[in-house]
Amino acid sequence: MGGIVSSMNDLDTLPKRLQYLSEEDPNKELYVFYNRSVRDSYTSRELFILAGRFAHRLRQQGFQKGDVIANTLPNSPERLITDVGIIMAGCVAMNGQAVLADGSDFFQSAKVSRCGAVIMADEGSGWQLLHKFLKNEKNDEMLSPLSVKEAPELKWAIIISRRNQNLLQDLKTKSQEMFVCPLDTEDVVVVLTTSGSTGYSKLVPRTHREIIVVSVCRSAMISPDVEWAESREKQFLFYSDRMMGWTADHSFYTLCQAETRVMLDLFSKPPGRDIYVEMWEALEAERCKMCTLLLPELEHLMESLRMPSGPKNKLKLIITGAQPYRKSQLKKFFNFSDNVYVVYGSTEVCYMSGKYAKEESYTSNNCGHAVNGMILKVCRDNGEQCQANETGTIFAKGQYVFRGYFNLLEKPTQDSAVFTPGGWFNTEDYGFFNDEGDLHVFGRLKDVIMYGPTVFYPGWMEKRLAEHPDIVDAFIVPVTDPVLYQNICAHVRVKKDSHLSQDELRDYCDAIFLSEASPGLITKPKYFIITKEDFPTTLTGKTDKQFLKRKAEELFGCGAKL
């Protein structure tokens, strides 16, 4: 893209880019929110002023450069203003993922990052988890004291409401000072959360430089020729409901590339609200021709709109990924769009490979060539590189790879568990390159379940299940799923006198998670197998997990449903 974006190339931090936009193109709409057909837009100038005012408030309350502030707000104008305000204050915005009812996932992230404050709504999952830790007294109209034993440095809550003391309205209507902290390109701007083997989040830091570099990569990889790039710049708005804080590019791509993003306002979700109908109405109202969409969302969209064969007026482009796609699954995207771009990436790397899929020639699990700036290789267990069409572990090296997990208790280092001595990142995915150099990805090597866009480590769930008084032992195994790639089956052995039913076990699993958490983040068993017999064992005396997987697949997998 040219024009104003080209002139921003020397601006090496997000606040610099936003300030430049606010001065050179102040009326440029950067974000457009829809809430039940009500349109709410934010220009570059409005965003710069409102975020700067919030940044000033943070500094008045004593927050300093480098302080970590978790944000649990859903996609909304409030999430946008507070995220950008945190950054303009010189602080670090952390995605405050909260899914487990006991808060162990969120508190682990808060402790490791030495998070000092959390932003939350006065409703929803953040409130459900944290309101019981609020002290009765209030510091002022903005800060409420917190006391959390599991995260001792988490001292403050910033409670955002649309009913009382409306922060957004206050920032808009009152004349207030602004603050913009001087920042360096290598300062950490955001900490992203991703799943780990313990069930808690691992923390991935991203600097201003990394965010900007990744955004440039994204713009280049979906513009294969000049004609397409020019047409995008003239008329195509981009719709994306990816969660703010989900990945490096989706959080701040708009600030880096000045490309309008359309999305839903999800601050509150009253009963009966069909967000997929709203999503399509917003797409049509803004005449969006580009959209980020994952397969589970596409299935919901087809169901809500009752159009399995797609709309009359197709989109120009759908960007998708997050799970391996079979050819039959990808065909559904072509009912909604003329072009489908399949991308392979991760929180730690962002983009690794991608390609424009052709409906007639696409092969299952094909994720295309490595994107510019990345080198990929597939290796055997002994470290030797695989030949074409030989399956092995995928390794990545390049400018989009993170430099180590974020931990202010220890200096970030290149963890030997994920980096080779030569600096290659071990994706822990397996796949192969075909003769044309396209990477085919099959999923995870270990006992990890690819649950749609979520990587689910079953170990912590097995431990939780084993805490039930009737359960002697428990294993979580995957079953193939036509939409999610893999779904989840709990295989449990109960006491001889137990009368535990599947419904009771399902209720027990539901209670582990926050009831108000986003459904897209909750990975819990859909299927259950309850037995009083001992699990079969291998010759070495270990539980035969392959047998348990085969049994679950026979009962619940794709083949069992045909």
Side-chain angles (χ1 to χ4, degrees):
M1 295 178 68
I4 197 167
V5 176
S6 297
S7 58
M8 292 167 62
N9 289 339
D10 293 332
L11 304 178
D12 56 6
T13 69
L14 295 182
K16 286 181 183 178
R17 295 175 90 86
L18 179 56
Q19 182 168 0
Y20 178 83
L21 283 173
S22 73
E23 295 168 353
E24 298 298 319
D25 196 358
N27 297 318
K28 167 71 176 181
E29 288 188 334
L30 294 181
Y31 292 86
V32 178
F33 292 91
Y34 272 84
N35 187 343
R36 294 198 165 190
S37 301
V38 177
R39 188 180 193 270
D40 185 16
S41 68
Y42 291 82
T43 66
S44 59
R45 184 63 181 167
E46 288 172 322
L47 178 55
F48 182 66
I49 291 173
L50 296 177
R53 289 174 176 175
F54 184 71
H56 177 71
R57 291 190 178 194
L58 290 175
R59 297 295 289 216
Q60 278 189 315
Q61 298 301 326
F63 292 100
Q64 300 296 315
K65 182 178 178 180
D67 288 348
V68 178
I69 301 176
N71 202 336
T72 68
L73 298 180
N75 284 0
S76 58
E78 288 87 347
R79 175 68 187 247
L80 170 65
I81 299 302
T82 53
D83 261 357
V84 179
I86 290 169
I87 295 163
M88 290 177 66
C91 301
V92 178
M94 184 174 76
N95 181 32
Q97 180 174 315
V99 175
L100 299 180
D102 65 359
S104 54
D105 54 344
F106 175 76
F107 295 142
Q108 175 74 359
S109 298
K111 180 180 179 181
V112 169
S113 64
R114 287 182 171 168
C115 176
V118 56
I119 299 175
M120 63 185 190
D122 60 352
E123 56 183 301
S125 61
W127 178 262
Q128 184 183 346
L129 171 63
L130 294 166
H131 77 276
K132 54 183 171 289
F133 298 101
L134 291 169
K135 295 181 179 179
N136 292 329
E137 70 269 19
K138 199 166 188 179
N139 186 57
D140 68 358
E141 62 179 18
M142 181 171 171
L143 292 182
S144 295
L146 273 175
S147 179
V148 183
K149 181 177 65 174
E150 294 85 351
E153 296 188 55
L154 184 61
K155 299 291 188 183
W156 302 106
I158 301 172
I159 302 172
I160 308 297
S161 175
R162 288 187 177 176
R163 296 172 292 193
N164 304 305
Q165 295 179 330
N166 188 312
L167 171 69
L168 199 56
Q169 195 63 31
D170 188 48
L171 293 173
K172 288 181 177 181
T173 57
K174 290 183 180 179
S175 178
Q176 302 162 60
E177 290 186 56
M178 293 175 55
F179 182 82
V180 184
C181 182
L183 295 168
D184 296 324
T185 186
E186 294 303 325
D187 285 334
V188 174
V189 59
V190 65
V191 175
L192 309 170
T193 54
T194 186
S195 55
S197 58
T198 63
Y200 307 126
S201 292
K202 295 181 288 186
L203 307 181
V204 177
R206 288 296 188 180
T207 65
H208 290 269
R209 179 189 60 79
E210 290 171 328
I211 294 285
I212 293 171
V213 165
V214 165
S215 75
V216 173
C217 167
R218 178 187 177 281
S219 181
M221 75 181 185
I222 61 173
S223 301
D225 53 55
V226 174
E227 181 181 355
W228 169 248
E230 289 179 349
S231 63
R232 283 180 58 214
E233 195 166 312
K234 290 177 182 177
Q235 58 181 323
F236 293 158
L237 298 184
F238 181 69
Y239 181 94
S240 176
D241 262 334
R242 297 275 61 75
M243 184 178 66
M244 291 182 175
W246 184 51
T247 61
D249 63 316
H250 285 289
S251 300
F252 304 108
Y253 173 81
T254 293
L255 301 186
C256 295
Q257 296 299 105
E259 184 172 299
T260 304
R261 175 177 174 179
V262 182
M263 59 202 305
L264 294 188
D265 175 357
L266 299 176
F267 189 88
S268 61
K269 291 182 280 187
R273 182 182 183 187
D274 191 328
I275 62 173
Y276 295 100
V277 171
E278 281 193 51
M279 167 188 168
W280 193 253
E281 290 175 348
L283 277 162
E284 291 189 319
E286 295 297 317
R287 298 182 180 179
C288 296
K289 291 297 182 180
M290 297 189 299
C291 178
T292 298
L293 201 63
L294 306 183
L295 183 58
E297 297 165 334
L298 179 64
E299 293 281 344
H300 287 304
L301 184 62
M302 291 190 298
E303 181 180 349
S304 293
L305 298 179
R306 295 184 175 88
M307 53 171 65
S309 59
K312 291 182 180 179
N313 298 316
K314 289 185 176 182
L315 299 171
K316 183 67 176 178
L317 172 66
I318 290 178
I319 304 171
T320 190
Q323 68 182 74
Y325 282 133
R326 293 182 285 273
K327 185 173 183 176
S328 59
Q329 293 174 321
L330 202 68
K331 283 185 176 180
K332 298 178 181 180
F333 286 98
F334 286 102
N335 291 333
F336 276 75
S337 178
D338 294 328
N339 298 280
V340 179
Y341 191 88
V342 180
V343 64
Y344 167 56
S346 69
T347 307
E348 291 89 345
V349 184
C350 203
Y351 298 120
M352 286 185 266
S353 69
K355 73 172 300 177
Y356 275 90
K358 302 294 184 183
E359 184 174 6
E360 65 281 357
S361 61
Y362 180 79
T363 53
S364 295
N365 308 310
N366 192 330
C367 295
H369 283 65
V371 299
N372 289 337
M374 288 299 301
I375 307 172
L376 303 177
K377 66 178 182 179
V378 177
C379 295
R380 307 183 184 105
D381 290 343
N382 62 7
E384 295 179 353
Q385 200 158 330
C386 293
Q387 302 295 317
N389 301 304
E390 180 185 357
T391 300
T393 304
I394 301 168
F395 290 82
K397 180 187 281 191
Q399 60 182 329
Y400 313 131
V401 181
F402 82 135
R403 290 177 289 178
Y405 291 110
F406 187 75
N407 185 340
L408 292 182
L409 304 178
E410 301 171 4
K411 289 184 178 180
T413 58
Q414 290 199 337
D415 190 337
S416 59
V418 294
F419 288 97
T420 69
W424 290 86
F425 173 70
N426 183 353
T427 68
E428 297 186 346
D429 290 333
Y430 69 104
F432 68 87
F433 283 106
N434 65 12
D435 292 326
E436 289 74 40
D438 280 352
L439 179 67
H440 290 64
V441 182
F442 296 115
R444 286 293 166 124
L445 288 165
K446 298 181 180 179
D447 292 332
V448 178
I449 298 174
M450 299 289 291
Y451 183 80
T454 304
V455 176
F456 177 62
Y457 292 81
W460 67 269
M461 173 60 81
E462 292 169 347
K463 292 179 182 177
R464 292 293 181 88
L465 286 172
E467 292 172 2
H468 190 285
D470 281 15
I471 295 177
V472 178
D473 205 356
F475 286 94
I476 298 290
V477 295
V479 292
T480 56
D481 187 275
V483 175
L484 297 169
Y485 188 69
Q486 291 178 327
N487 219 309
I488 303 168
C489 176
H491 203 134
V492 302
R493 180 165 66 94
V494 298
K495 296 177 180 178
K496 298 296 184 182
D497 59 350
S498 172
H499 299 286
L500 183 66
S501 68
Q502 288 194 12
D503 287 342
E504 290 170 332
L505 188 52
R506 182 172 285 106
D507 290 343
Y508 178 75
C509 289
D510 287 346
I512 292 173
F513 297 93
L514 286 165
S515 60
E516 295 294 327
S518 169
L521 296 174
I522 296 179
T523 47
K524 58 187 176 184
K526 179 178 181 180
Y527 307 111
F528 298 90
I529 300 174
I530 301 175
T531 182
K532 294 182 180 179
E533 304 299 324
D534 291 341
F535 290 144
T537 59
T538 64
L539 293 176
T540 60
K542 297 180 179 180
T543 299
D544 190 346
K545 297 189 75 171
Q546 296 305 316
F547 175 87
L548 300 182
K549 289 179 183 179
R550 287 194 300 271
K551 184 172 182 179
E553 186 67 26
E554 290 170 2
L555 291 173
F556 309 117
C558 287
K561 302 170 187 175
L562 298 178

